[in-house]
Amino acid sequence: MSRFEATICEAIASMRLLLVEYGDTARLVQPHVYGDDHAGDRLLSAYQVSGESASGASAGWKFFRMDRVTSVTLSEQRFRAPRPEFQRNDGAFARIICQLGD
């Protein structure tokens, strides 16, 4: 189990934003799906609402590889509903640990 798993799954279950330290940047995200991709990497699929990004896009859908995450902090801020583009049981994941709507 990842050291961040309980925090991430709690955020997903309670629809609370996460502050994710990824590389050298902090990002505020709406977490949607957490699990393993087909290559065996642990991923968080989230919609980034603010912060920096290597791509230059500060908002939008992102996959965060958990081996590059240095910290995860549960925010008091909530989001009301999944993003309209969200699809349960995303095919990018070989194994889903937790996702919105569970």
Side-chain angles (χ1 to χ4, degrees):
M1 171 161 58
S2 153
R3 63 188 168 126
F4 303 125
E5 187 170 304
T7 303
I8 292 169
C9 288
E10 179 182 345
I12 289 172
S14 62
M15 295 180 72
R16 287 169 58 186
L17 276 73
L18 286 172
L19 182 62
V20 176
E21 296 280 342
Y22 194 68
D24 295 333
T25 63
R27 300 144 185 250
L28 190 63
V29 303
Q30 298 172 340
H32 282 64
V33 186
Y34 180 70
D36 300 326
D37 70 6
H38 294 277
D41 293 316
R42 183 68 43 97
L43 300 178
L44 170 64
S45 175
Y47 189 87
Q48 181 172 325
V49 296
S50 68
E52 297 179 29
S53 174
S55 69
S58 62
W61 283 101
K62 313 276 183 178
F63 282 112
F64 296 95
R65 282 187 43 166
M66 294 308 297
D67 60 349
R68 297 182 184 160
V69 171
T70 55
S71 78
V72 171
T73 306
L74 194 59
S75 167
E76 291 302 316
Q77 192 176 352
R78 296 183 184 272
F79 56 106
R80 295 185 180 169
R83 303 294 301 186
E85 316 83 28
F86 171 61
Q87 295 183 2
R88 283 182 49 75
N89 303 317
D90 188 325
F93 289 87
R95 176 175 165 257
I96 293 174
I97 296 167
C98 54
Q99 66 182 327
L100 284 178
D102 279 351

